[in-house]
Amino acid sequence: MVAGFSLKQCGRTPQTKEDTIHQTDIITYQFLHIVNSFILLCAWPMLVSGQTDQSQKEVYLLFDEIIGIENSALHYGTVYEEAHRVKSKRTKFFPGPEFVSGSLVFDGQSYFDLPLKYNVYDDELLMRVEQKLGGDILQLYQPSITSFMVNDHLFFNLNSPEVEPGFYELMVEKPSFSLFKKHRKSLRQSLGEKLVFYEFLEEDASYFLHYRNKYSSITTIEALTALFPEHEIELGTFTKGLDPKLPFEQRLSELLEYLDTLTVRETHKTQKN
């Protein structure tokens, strides 16, 4: 069951009259989104003094209310069909089995206050459609998603030779580097009296540091410090002071915060010279 067009149709030249209509709808919406957003953005300073992220969000919300979110490119995804019957709270979804209000950037356009949830196991983003528009759950076309946010957790769609393509949570962002986390879940089957049920267990996450236009896998503290040989002594001393009982992610975050102070100090020193 498909809404708009199928995943196979996305990204290729339309071959049928129906495909052409759908592709035209997307182009028309994107054009209207750009034109109307430009008009609204030009008018906005007359209503408020100075633009903030919140005011820009309100502009996009106003536009989507006028156009109708059902006419946006978002609705050209596939209808999601659940393949696993679960009876426990251990689901495949993040942050949980319920939809939460979130935002995303899709085909270069920003959308806010959408009912979203992230399917970690299949690495797909789901959106609930309003009941008056059919009430389906859509599996959004992943290649068109740049980023999304749910429960204040920001995810980016990474596509680089150093990492497996997919969604990664941004954990630490500094001027010189960023840390990304790949959530993972595994499937376990349990037998009921007449039915088969499934539950999803949290697996160890993977971490990647984006530094100097490259993603490096960080499996140990030593793997991180090896990327910064110029700070080997300082990082080694700081690492010895960390509580080894702390979770790896926390130790990693604290070390990166300290590393940022070192890089900032080094930058200031270079600028003075």
Side-chain angles (χ1 to χ4, degrees):
M1 188 174 183
V2 178
F5 53 77
S6 70
L7 293 179
K8 292 182 179 180
Q9 290 174 317
C10 293
R12 65 169 174 80
T13 303
Q15 299 298 319
T16 67
K17 179 179 180 181
E18 183 179 1
D19 290 345
T20 304
I21 293 173
H22 291 321
Q23 293 286 2
T24 303
D25 288 344
I26 292 177
I27 295 172
T28 301
Y29 176 82
Q30 291 175 335
F31 174 75
L32 289 173
H33 204 293
I34 294 171
V35 173
N36 283 276
S37 295
F38 175 76
I39 295 172
L40 289 171
L41 285 170
C42 289
W44 198 258
M46 295 185 292
L47 301 178
V48 295
S49 176
Q51 279 204 325
T52 63
D53 291 341
Q54 180 61 29
S55 67
Q56 291 179 359
K57 173 182 175 181
E58 291 172 359
V59 167
Y60 281 112
L61 287 173
L62 175 60
F63 173 78
D64 287 328
E65 182 179 349
I66 294 172
I67 295 298
I69 196 70
E70 69 275 10
N71 295 316
S72 74
L74 291 178
H75 279 246
Y76 292 90
T78 58
V79 174
Y80 177 75
E81 296 183 6
E82 183 54 67
H84 302 98
R85 182 185 293 105
V86 297
K87 64 176 181 179
S88 73
K89 294 182 179 180
R90 295 176 173 177
T91 70
K92 64 176 76 172
F93 302 108
F94 179 94
E98 304 300 326
F99 284 90
V100 298
S101 180
S103 60
L104 77 154
V105 178
F106 187 94
D107 272 344
Q109 305 296 335
S110 299
Y111 299 88
F112 301 93
D113 295 349
L114 299 174
L116 303 173
K117 64 179 177 181
Y118 172 39
N119 178 349
V120 176
Y121 182 73
D122 297 305
D123 200 33
E124 298 287 353
L125 183 62
L126 307 182
M127 182 183 76
R128 186 181 64 212
V129 180
E130 292 184 34
Q131 193 63 40
K132 65 179 181 180
L133 302 176
D136 287 320
I137 296 175
L138 291 186
Q139 178 176 301
L140 300 179
Y141 183 49
Q142 190 191 70
S144 293
I145 302 171
T146 302
S147 62
F148 68 90
M149 179 177 287
V150 289
N151 269 25
D152 294 325
H153 292 263
L154 179 59
F155 290 80
F156 283 87
N157 192 1
L158 302 185
N159 189 1
S160 172
E162 297 94 15
V163 299
E164 175 187 357
F167 295 122
Y168 293 74
E169 183 180 1
L170 178 63
M171 303 299 294
V172 177
E173 184 178 27
K174 298 298 180 182
S176 300
F177 53 79
S178 300
L179 179 69
F180 290 90
K181 175 182 180 179
K182 181 61 179 175
H183 293 261
R184 301 184 187 279
K185 291 196 176 188
S186 60
L187 176 66
R188 185 168 72 180
Q189 178 178 303
S190 61
L191 299 176
E193 293 184 2
K194 296 182 179 180
L195 299 174
V196 176
F197 293 92
Y198 301 89
E199 60 181 357
F200 296 83
L201 308 179
E202 295 284 349
E203 285 192 341
D204 291 338
S206 300
Y207 298 89
F208 297 87
L209 189 76
H210 185 244
Y211 177 60
R212 293 182 176 177
N213 297 320
K214 180 181 179 181
Y215 291 93
S216 298
S217 175
I218 307 298
T219 56
T220 63
I221 295 296
E222 291 71 25
L224 173 63
T225 57
L227 296 175
F228 301 89
E230 66 275 20
H231 299 302
E232 180 181 359
I233 297 176
E234 298 100 317
L235 293 177
T237 302
F238 186 85
T239 299
K240 291 178 181 178
L242 292 174
D243 185 351
K245 295 181 181 179
L246 290 176
F248 174 67
E249 184 176 305
Q250 185 175 343
R251 286 185 289 134
L252 192 58
S253 297
E254 291 187 15
L255 185 58
L256 286 173
E257 290 293 338
Y258 175 66
L259 178 60
D260 180 55
T261 65
L262 296 178
T263 56
V264 170
R265 185 176 64 190
E266 186 178 73
T267 301
H268 289 168
K269 183 178 178 180
T270 302
Q271 290 175 346
K272 287 182 180 181
N273 296 333

